[in-house]
Amino acid sequence: MRAIKLGLPGNVLLYSLIYLILFTAVLSAGTTGKLAGSVTDKKTGEPLPGVNVVLEGTILGASTDMDGFYYIINIPPGTYSVSFEYLGYKTRIVKNVKISADKTTRLDAELEETVLQGENVVVVAQRPVIEVNVTSSVSTLGKDEIEVMPVFNLSEIVDLQAGVVDGHFRGGRLGEVQYQVNGVSVNNLYDNNISLELDRSLIQEVQVISGTFDAEYGQAMSGVVNAILKSGSQHFEWKVESFLSDYMYTSGRRRNMPDKFRPLSIQNYQMSLSGPLLIPHTTFIANVRESMDNGYIYGKRIFLPTDSADFEHKIFHPSGDGKEVPLETRKEFSGLFKVTNTSFGRLKLEYQLIYNKIQAKRYNFAFRINPDGAAHQTTTSLVHGLDLTYTFSANTFMTFNLRQNFFDYGDYKYKDVYDPRYDEAGPPLGDPNYELGAYVQGVELNRFVQTTKSYIVKGTITSQVNKTHLVKAGGEFQYSNLEFGVPGYIIANGLLLSRHVNEPPDYPGIQVYHPINAVGFVQDQIEWNDFILRAGVRWEYFDARSTVPSDLHNPANTIQGAPRSYPKPTTPKSTVAPRLGVSFPLTSSAALYFAYGHFYQMPPLGQVFSNANYEVLKDLQAGGISYGVLGNPDIKPEKTVQYEFGYKYAITSNIGLDVSMFFKDIRDLLGVEFVSTYAAAEYARLTNVDFGNVLGVTISFNQRNFGPISTFIDYTWQRAMGNSSDPRETAIRAAAGQDPRPRLIPLNWDQRHTLNVTMIIEKPGDYSISPIIRFGSGQPYTPSIKAGFGGALETNSGRKKSYFRIDLRAQKYFSFKLFKLSAYVRILNLLDTRFANGFVFSDTGSPDYTLDPVGQRVTLADPHRYFPPRRVEVGITISSKVH
C-alpha cells in the first residue's frame, strides 16, 4: 500500500479556532443518559425533600427538591445500582437500573420509616418493556442482549432493526445513514458509509434510530447508528475468545459446487484486557482481534498468470500445481485502545484509538482456473482522538472532542504501475469455448485507490435548566482531505501493455479535494410529568472548494464564436432543518407520539467529484462517443421531509406493543440531466433531479421474562417508490434507447413485507439459546421477454420470490474458581436457504434456470449467484475478573 500520512494540515487549526470562536456553546451527539424520578413516603404518599440519590460505585448523585423530584445527568450507558438514603427511613437500593444514551430513565422510590439506622431494602429494577417517553422509533441494544444473539458485528446488529432492509433505512438509498462512535461521525465522505469494522466485543450499547431524529444528528436522511464503546473498569478483567467455522450444506449439487469439510477455512482469535493503570484514577481497555475467511467457493490453480496459450489453434499450456484455491479471501486485524482519567476533579479525559487492517481478494468467477491473476484489495482504517468532559455543576456539563478519521483503500494486483510482472503476465485472456471462457493467462489490470483524512472538532454543553427543560446547543467543524482515482492506467493492445500516468483529461491522476462542513444546532427537551416535547433546529454548511465551468453550453471552450467558459468556484451550501417530536401519555402505560423533521445530506462526494474535469469534452460533437456522466462539485444537499406517528402500549409489565406509521417525501436526490451545447451536442451531468417517497407501517411486539423466554417481533410493511434507484440510471436508460423521462416506479430495494423474530431463551450463568427468524417478500426486478436490445419490459415490474431463513446461537456457561468459560455454537442460515432477494434471471425471475441456457451458461455455472450456504461456527470464551 501507499505510505500512510496522518499529519494535520496547518490551516485546519485556523479553521477550527475560527469555528470555536463562532460556536462557544456546542454539543455532540448523545453518549450519556439521564436518571430522573420522585421519592415519596410509602405510608402517606407525601414527597420527601433532601433525599440523597446516589449511583453506587460512581461520584454521580443528587438530592430531591421540595417536591421530592430529582434528576442526574451525564450518566454513561450501563447497568447501575441506585441508593436512596434519608434520615429516619430505610435505605432503598435498586439494582439492575439500565441507563441508555440520550434517554431519560424514570425511577421512582417509596421509602419506609424505621427506628434503626442502617436498615436496607434491596429490590431489582425491571426495564420497562415499552419506553413511553420516546418521541420516535429508536431501538437500543446493550451488551448483555448483544452477547447472546447470533450476531458478530455492528452491521449484523443494525440489519435486525425494524425498517432496515439490506442496509436501506425505511426505503432510502444506501449511504443515507450517519454512523457514529461515541457520538462522533465515522462516515467516509467518499461513499457516506462507515469507515471501519466494529465487532460486538467492543460495544457497550448500540442505538439505532430508524425514524425521525433530533436536531443534534445530521448529514443523514434515513437513520442514525450510534455505537458506544466499552470503557475500562476499576478491576482487572481479561477475556479471550476463539472460534473456527466452515460452510456445511447439503445443496452442493444445486449450488453447482462440492461440499467439502474445511474446518480451518474461517478462524477468529481475539483478546481483551481492562483495568486500572498505575496512574491514579486512570483506567484502560485494550482489545485485539485477528481473523481470516476463505469463503466457500474454491477454484483450482491449473494455470499461472505467466502461462501463454495458442488461442488460434486451441492449444493451452497449463503450468499450475492444480491445488484448490479460495476465490474470495479476507484477512483482518483490528484493535482498540481506550484510556480514561478522572484525576482532575470535575474534568474527565479520554483517549481512544480504533484500528482496522483488511486484506482481501474480491470474488471473480473468471479467474477460477487462474486464481493468482486476480487483484487484491487492502483497507486501512484509523479512528482516534481525545474527549474532554467538564462538569460545571449537577445541572450542566461540557464535552470537547478532537478526532481524526483516516481511511485508505487500494485495489490492484501490483502497487507499482511499472511493475514488470504486469508485462510478464499480460492482460487476462480466455477462450469462450474452453472452460466457459475462464481466464487461462494474465492478471487483472484494473487499478484504484482512495484515501480520506477527516479532522473533526466538537464541543458540548448540556444543561438541565430546571426540572422541565433539558437544553442542548451545539456544533461541529470538519475538514477533509479526499483523494481518489487511478494510480496509473494500464491499457492492453493485444498482448502489449501501455501506461498512462497523470495525463488529463483522458487519463487523470489522483484527484484531490479539500471540502469543509460546519454544523450548529439548538434543542430543548421538555418533560412535563409524562408529556415529552423535543424541539430543535439545525444549521448545516458545506463548501466543496472546487470549480465548475461557468458556461455549461461550452464547457471545454471548443466551440468557435461561443461565449468563453472559465472555472467558476462552487458556491457554499447552507440549510436550516427544523425538528419536532412529541410523546403524549394516554395512561401510565400507553402513549401517542408524533415526529416531524427536515433532513439534509450531501451526496457521496466520490460520485459528485468523479469525472468532474469538463476538459474531457473537448472533442464532443452531436452523435459522437459518450463520455459517461460528468460529475458536478456544485451539487446541493439532498432533502427528505419525514413524518411519523405512533402508539406505544405496555399491555402488561412484560408485554409491550409499538405501532408506528411513517411517510418520507424525498427530493433533490442525485440524478442525471442532459445538457445541450451551442453546437447541438449533448452530454450527461449529475445534478439534483431524482425524487421518491416512502410510506410504511411498523409493528413491534416485545415479550420479556416469560420464564426463561423473551421474544422480540417486528413487522414492517413499506412501499418505496422513486424515479430511479441509482443516480446514473437515467443515463443508462438513454444509452439503451429507452425512455429516460422521469416516472414513479418501485425502487430496487422495495421489499413490501419484512418480519424479524428474535427469541432469547436463557438462564443467566448457565445457558442461552437465541434463534433469529427472518422473512422477506420479493424485491422488484426488470423482466425481459428476449435477450438483447429492446427485450426488457417496464423497469422493476416483476417481483422475486419471498425468502425465509434462520440464524441460531447456543451457549453454555461454566464457572471455575479463577475464571469463567463458555462454549458456543453459531449457525448462520440454519436451513441452508439458497435464495434471499439475490440474483434472478430476467426471463424467468428464478435464480435456478433461464430460457437461454446457452447464452447464460457462464452464469448458470457460477455458484455465487446463490445466497451463502449454511455456516457452522464453534468457539470458546474464557474470562476472569480480579478484584
Side-chain angles (χ1 to χ4, degrees), residues 75-114:
I75 307 174
T79 303
Y80 297 88
S81 294
V82 182
S83 66
F84 298 84
E85 299 181 8
Y86 195 48
L87 187 63
Y89 287 78
K90 297 179 182 179
T91 298
R92 186 177 181 85
I93 301 174
V94 183
K95 296 185 176 182
N96 199 38
V97 178
K98 294 185 178 181
I99 304 295
S100 296
D102 212 26
K103 291 184 179 180
T104 298
T105 298
R106 180 86 184 189
L107 182 63
D108 298 327
E110 294 179 332
L111 301 188
E112 302 177 53
E113 288 187 282
T114 183

Short mmCIF file of all heavy atoms in Angstrom, two decimals, residues 75-114:
data_model
loop_
_atom_site.label_atom_id
_atom_site.label_comp_id
_atom_site.label_asym_id
_atom_site.label_seq_id
_atom_site.Cartn_x
_atom_site.Cartn_y
_atom_site.Cartn_z
N ILE A 75 -24.80 10.45 32.62
CA ILE A 75 -24.53 9.10 33.10
C ILE A 75 -24.11 8.23 31.91
O ILE A 75 -24.87 8.09 30.95
CB ILE A 75 -25.77 8.49 33.77
CG1 ILE A 75 -26.31 9.41 34.87
CG2 ILE A 75 -25.44 7.11 34.34
CD1 ILE A 75 -27.63 8.93 35.47
N PRO A 76 -22.93 7.62 31.94
CA PRO A 76 -22.54 6.72 30.86
C PRO A 76 -23.49 5.54 30.76
O PRO A 76 -24.00 5.06 31.77
CB PRO A 76 -21.13 6.26 31.26
CG PRO A 76 -20.64 7.31 32.21
CD PRO A 76 -21.86 7.79 32.94
N PRO A 77 -23.77 5.03 29.54
CA PRO A 77 -24.66 3.88 29.40
C PRO A 77 -24.15 2.68 30.18
O PRO A 77 -22.95 2.43 30.26
CB PRO A 77 -24.65 3.60 27.89
CG PRO A 77 -24.22 4.88 27.27
CD PRO A 77 -23.28 5.51 28.24
N GLY A 78 -25.06 1.94 30.77
CA GLY A 78 -24.68 0.76 31.54
C GLY A 78 -25.74 0.39 32.54
O GLY A 78 -26.85 0.94 32.55
N THR A 79 -25.41 -0.55 33.40
CA THR A 79 -26.33 -1.02 34.44
C THR A 79 -25.79 -0.62 35.81
O THR A 79 -24.62 -0.85 36.11
CB THR A 79 -26.50 -2.55 34.36
OG1 THR A 79 -26.95 -2.90 33.05
CG2 THR A 79 -27.50 -3.04 35.37
N TYR A 80 -26.64 -0.03 36.63
CA TYR A 80 -26.20 0.54 37.91
C TYR A 80 -27.11 0.07 39.05
O TYR A 80 -28.24 -0.38 38.85
CB TYR A 80 -26.25 2.07 37.85
CG TYR A 80 -25.33 2.68 36.83
CD1 TYR A 80 -25.75 2.87 35.51
CD2 TYR A 80 -24.04 3.06 37.16
CE1 TYR A 80 -24.92 3.44 34.57
CE2 TYR A 80 -23.19 3.63 36.22
CZ TYR A 80 -23.64 3.82 34.93
OH TYR A 80 -22.81 4.38 33.99
N SER A 81 -26.58 0.25 40.28
CA SER A 81 -27.37 0.15 41.50
C SER A 81 -27.55 1.56 42.04
O SER A 81 -26.58 2.33 42.13
CB SER A 81 -26.68 -0.73 42.54
OG SER A 81 -26.61 -2.08 42.11
N VAL A 82 -28.79 1.91 42.36
CA VAL A 82 -29.12 3.27 42.81
C VAL A 82 -29.61 3.19 44.25
O VAL A 82 -30.52 2.40 44.56
CB VAL A 82 -30.18 3.90 41.91
CG1 VAL A 82 -30.49 5.33 42.35
CG2 VAL A 82 -29.74 3.88 40.45
N SER A 83 -29.03 4.00 45.12
CA SER A 83 -29.44 4.01 46.53
C SER A 83 -30.16 5.32 46.88
O SER A 83 -29.80 6.39 46.38
CB SER A 83 -28.22 3.84 47.45
OG SER A 83 -27.36 4.95 47.36
N PHE A 84 -31.21 5.19 47.71
CA PHE A 84 -31.97 6.33 48.20
C PHE A 84 -31.81 6.36 49.72
O PHE A 84 -32.27 5.44 50.41
CB PHE A 84 -33.45 6.19 47.83
CG PHE A 84 -33.71 6.15 46.35
CD1 PHE A 84 -33.60 4.96 45.64
CD2 PHE A 84 -34.06 7.30 45.67
CE1 PHE A 84 -33.85 4.92 44.28
CE2 PHE A 84 -34.32 7.27 44.30
CZ PHE A 84 -34.21 6.07 43.61
N GLU A 85 -31.16 7.40 50.24
CA GLU A 85 -30.86 7.49 51.67
C GLU A 85 -31.52 8.73 52.27
O GLU A 85 -31.41 9.83 51.71
CB GLU A 85 -29.35 7.55 51.89
CG GLU A 85 -28.61 6.31 51.37
CD GLU A 85 -27.11 6.39 51.64
OE1 GLU A 85 -26.71 7.34 52.35
OE2 GLU A 85 -26.37 5.54 51.13
N TYR A 86 -32.20 8.53 53.44
CA TYR A 86 -32.87 9.64 54.10
C TYR A 86 -32.95 9.33 55.58
O TYR A 86 -33.32 8.20 55.97
CB TYR A 86 -34.26 9.84 53.50
CG TYR A 86 -34.92 11.16 53.84
CD1 TYR A 86 -34.23 12.36 53.71
CD2 TYR A 86 -36.24 11.20 54.30
CE1 TYR A 86 -34.85 13.56 54.00
CE2 TYR A 86 -36.87 12.39 54.59
CZ TYR A 86 -36.16 13.58 54.43
OH TYR A 86 -36.78 14.78 54.74
N LEU A 87 -32.62 10.31 56.40
CA LEU A 87 -32.60 10.11 57.84
C LEU A 87 -33.98 9.73 58.35
O LEU A 87 -34.97 10.38 58.05
CB LEU A 87 -32.13 11.39 58.53
CG LEU A 87 -31.90 11.29 60.05
CD1 LEU A 87 -30.78 10.30 60.35
CD2 LEU A 87 -31.59 12.67 60.64
N GLY A 88 -34.03 8.61 59.11
CA GLY A 88 -35.28 8.13 59.68
C GLY A 88 -36.02 7.17 58.77
O GLY A 88 -37.11 6.70 59.13
N TYR A 89 -35.42 6.85 57.62
CA TYR A 89 -36.05 5.93 56.67
C TYR A 89 -35.07 4.84 56.29
O TYR A 89 -33.84 5.01 56.32
CB TYR A 89 -36.50 6.67 55.40
CG TYR A 89 -37.72 7.55 55.60
CD1 TYR A 89 -37.61 8.80 56.22
CD2 TYR A 89 -38.97 7.13 55.18
CE1 TYR A 89 -38.73 9.61 56.40
CE2 TYR A 89 -40.10 7.93 55.36
CZ TYR A 89 -39.97 9.16 55.97
OH TYR A 89 -41.08 9.96 56.15
N LYS A 90 -35.60 3.68 55.92
CA LYS A 90 -34.76 2.60 55.43
C LYS A 90 -34.12 2.99 54.09
O LYS A 90 -34.78 3.56 53.23
CB LYS A 90 -35.58 1.31 55.23
CG LYS A 90 -36.18 0.73 56.50
CD LYS A 90 -37.00 -0.52 56.18
CE LYS A 90 -37.65 -1.09 57.44
NZ LYS A 90 -38.48 -2.30 57.12
N THR A 91 -32.83 2.68 53.97
CA THR A 91 -32.16 2.93 52.69
C THR A 91 -32.68 1.95 51.64
O THR A 91 -32.71 0.74 51.87
CB THR A 91 -30.63 2.79 52.84
OG1 THR A 91 -30.17 3.78 53.77
CG2 THR A 91 -29.94 2.96 51.50
N ARG A 92 -33.08 2.50 50.53
CA ARG A 92 -33.61 1.66 49.44
C ARG A 92 -32.55 1.56 48.34
O ARG A 92 -32.06 2.58 47.84
CB ARG A 92 -34.90 2.25 48.88
CG ARG A 92 -35.59 1.36 47.85
CD ARG A 92 -36.91 1.99 47.39
NE ARG A 92 -37.63 1.18 46.43
CZ ARG A 92 -38.45 0.19 46.72
NH1 ARG A 92 -38.67 -0.11 48.01
NH2 ARG A 92 -39.07 -0.49 45.80
N ILE A 93 -32.19 0.34 47.99
CA ILE A 93 -31.20 0.10 46.95
C ILE A 93 -31.88 -0.62 45.79
O ILE A 93 -32.44 -1.70 45.97
CB ILE A 93 -30.01 -0.73 47.47
CG1 ILE A 93 -29.33 -0.01 48.65
CG2 ILE A 93 -29.01 -0.99 46.35
CD1 ILE A 93 -28.25 -0.84 49.31
N VAL A 94 -31.84 -0.01 44.63
CA VAL A 94 -32.46 -0.58 43.43
C VAL A 94 -31.34 -1.04 42.50
O VAL A 94 -30.54 -0.23 42.03
CB VAL A 94 -33.37 0.44 42.72
CG1 VAL A 94 -34.07 -0.22 41.53
CG2 VAL A 94 -34.40 1.00 43.70
N LYS A 95 -31.30 -2.32 42.24
CA LYS A 95 -30.27 -2.88 41.37
C LYS A 95 -30.78 -3.04 39.94
O LYS A 95 -31.97 -3.00 39.68
CB LYS A 95 -29.80 -4.24 41.91
CG LYS A 95 -29.12 -4.17 43.27
CD LYS A 95 -28.59 -5.53 43.69
CE LYS A 95 -27.82 -5.45 45.00
NZ LYS A 95 -27.26 -6.78 45.38
N ASN A 96 -29.82 -3.22 39.02
CA ASN A 96 -30.12 -3.51 37.61
C ASN A 96 -30.88 -2.37 36.93
O ASN A 96 -31.75 -2.58 36.09
CB ASN A 96 -30.93 -4.81 37.49
CG ASN A 96 -30.89 -5.40 36.09
OD1 ASN A 96 -29.85 -5.34 35.44
ND2 ASN A 96 -32.00 -5.94 35.63
N VAL A 97 -30.51 -1.14 37.28
CA VAL A 97 -31.10 0.03 36.63
C VAL A 97 -30.30 0.32 35.37
O VAL A 97 -29.10 0.61 35.43
CB VAL A 97 -31.08 1.25 37.57
CG1 VAL A 97 -31.65 2.47 36.85
CG2 VAL A 97 -31.86 0.96 38.84
N LYS A 98 -30.95 0.23 34.22
CA LYS A 98 -30.25 0.38 32.94
C LYS A 98 -30.40 1.81 32.42
O LYS A 98 -31.50 2.34 32.33
CB LYS A 98 -30.79 -0.62 31.92
CG LYS A 98 -30.48 -2.06 32.30
CD LYS A 98 -30.91 -3.05 31.22
CE LYS A 98 -30.52 -4.48 31.63
NZ LYS A 98 -30.90 -5.48 30.60
N ILE A 99 -29.26 2.38 32.07
CA ILE A 99 -29.20 3.73 31.52
C ILE A 99 -28.77 3.63 30.06
O ILE A 99 -27.79 2.95 29.74
CB ILE A 99 -28.22 4.62 32.31
CG1 ILE A 99 -28.59 4.66 33.79
CG2 ILE A 99 -28.17 6.02 31.71
CD1 ILE A 99 -29.93 5.30 34.08
N SER A 100 -29.50 4.33 29.19
CA SER A 100 -29.18 4.34 27.77
C SER A 100 -28.83 5.75 27.32
O SER A 100 -29.31 6.74 27.90
CB SER A 100 -30.35 3.81 26.93
OG SER A 100 -30.62 2.47 27.23
N ALA A 101 -28.01 5.84 26.29
CA ALA A 101 -27.58 7.14 25.78
C ALA A 101 -28.77 7.95 25.27
O ALA A 101 -29.66 7.43 24.60
CB ALA A 101 -26.56 6.94 24.66
N ASP A 102 -28.76 9.23 25.61
CA ASP A 102 -29.73 10.19 25.09
C ASP A 102 -31.17 9.86 25.47
O ASP A 102 -32.10 10.24 24.78
CB ASP A 102 -29.61 10.29 23.56
CG ASP A 102 -29.93 11.69 23.06
OD1 ASP A 102 -29.75 12.64 23.81
OD2 ASP A 102 -30.38 11.80 21.90
N LYS A 103 -31.35 9.12 26.57
CA LYS A 103 -32.69 8.80 27.04
C LYS A 103 -32.81 9.10 28.52
O LYS A 103 -31.82 9.08 29.26
CB LYS A 103 -33.02 7.32 26.79
CG LYS A 103 -33.19 6.94 25.33
CD LYS A 103 -33.61 5.49 25.21
CE LYS A 103 -33.82 5.09 23.76
NZ LYS A 103 -34.23 3.67 23.63
N THR A 104 -34.06 9.34 28.96
CA THR A 104 -34.35 9.54 30.38
C THR A 104 -34.94 8.26 30.94
O THR A 104 -35.97 7.76 30.46
CB THR A 104 -35.34 10.70 30.58
OG1 THR A 104 -34.74 11.91 30.09
CG2 THR A 104 -35.68 10.86 32.05
N THR A 105 -34.27 7.70 31.95
CA THR A 105 -34.79 6.53 32.66
C THR A 105 -35.54 7.01 33.89
O THR A 105 -34.97 7.74 34.71
CB THR A 105 -33.65 5.58 33.06
OG1 THR A 105 -32.99 5.11 31.89
CG2 THR A 105 -34.18 4.40 33.86
N ARG A 106 -36.78 6.62 34.02
CA ARG A 106 -37.61 7.05 35.14
C ARG A 106 -37.51 6.02 36.26
O ARG A 106 -37.74 4.83 36.05
CB ARG A 106 -39.06 7.19 34.70
CG ARG A 106 -40.02 7.63 35.80
CD ARG A 106 -40.06 9.13 35.93
NE ARG A 106 -40.92 9.54 37.05
CZ ARG A 106 -41.27 10.80 37.27
NH1 ARG A 106 -40.84 11.75 36.45
NH2 ARG A 106 -42.03 11.13 38.29
N LEU A 107 -37.15 6.49 37.46
CA LEU A 107 -37.04 5.60 38.62
C LEU A 107 -37.61 6.31 39.84
O LEU A 107 -36.98 7.21 40.41
CB LEU A 107 -35.58 5.20 38.86
CG LEU A 107 -35.33 4.23 40.03
CD1 LEU A 107 -36.03 2.91 39.78
CD2 LEU A 107 -33.84 4.01 40.25
N ASP A 108 -38.81 5.92 40.24
CA ASP A 108 -39.45 6.46 41.44
C ASP A 108 -39.18 5.53 42.62
O ASP A 108 -38.91 4.34 42.44
CB ASP A 108 -40.96 6.60 41.23
CG ASP A 108 -41.30 7.58 40.11
OD1 ASP A 108 -40.55 8.56 39.94
OD2 ASP A 108 -42.29 7.34 39.40
N ALA A 109 -39.25 6.09 43.82
CA ALA A 109 -38.98 5.28 45.02
C ALA A 109 -39.93 5.69 46.14
O ALA A 109 -40.25 6.87 46.31
CB ALA A 109 -37.53 5.46 45.47
N GLU A 110 -40.34 4.68 46.90
CA GLU A 110 -41.13 4.90 48.12
C GLU A 110 -40.31 4.41 49.31
O GLU A 110 -39.86 3.26 49.32
CB GLU A 110 -42.45 4.13 48.05
CG GLU A 110 -43.40 4.61 46.97
CD GLU A 110 -44.68 3.80 46.92
OE1 GLU A 110 -44.63 2.60 47.29
OE2 GLU A 110 -45.73 4.35 46.54
N LEU A 111 -40.08 5.28 50.28
CA LEU A 111 -39.25 4.94 51.43
C LEU A 111 -40.11 4.65 52.64
O LEU A 111 -41.15 5.28 52.87
CB LEU A 111 -38.28 6.09 51.74
CG LEU A 111 -37.31 6.50 50.61
CD1 LEU A 111 -36.29 7.50 51.14
CD2 LEU A 111 -36.62 5.28 50.01
N GLU A 112 -39.62 3.66 53.44
CA GLU A 112 -40.33 3.25 54.65
C GLU A 112 -39.62 3.81 55.88
O GLU A 112 -38.38 3.81 55.95
CB GLU A 112 -40.37 1.72 54.76
CG GLU A 112 -41.03 1.02 53.59
CD GLU A 112 -40.96 -0.49 53.77
OE1 GLU A 112 -41.39 -0.99 54.83
OE2 GLU A 112 -40.44 -1.16 52.84
N GLU A 113 -40.40 4.28 56.83
CA GLU A 113 -39.82 4.79 58.08
C GLU A 113 -39.19 3.65 58.87
O GLU A 113 -39.60 2.48 58.77
CB GLU A 113 -40.89 5.47 58.92
CG GLU A 113 -41.35 6.81 58.37
CD GLU A 113 -42.29 7.54 59.32
OE1 GLU A 113 -43.48 7.16 59.37
OE2 GLU A 113 -41.80 8.45 60.02
N THR A 114 -38.17 3.98 59.69
CA THR A 114 -37.50 2.99 60.54
C THR A 114 -36.97 3.68 61.78
O THR A 114 -36.72 4.89 61.78
CB THR A 114 -36.35 2.30 59.78
OG1 THR A 114 -35.78 1.31 60.63
CG2 THR A 114 -35.28 3.30 59.40
#
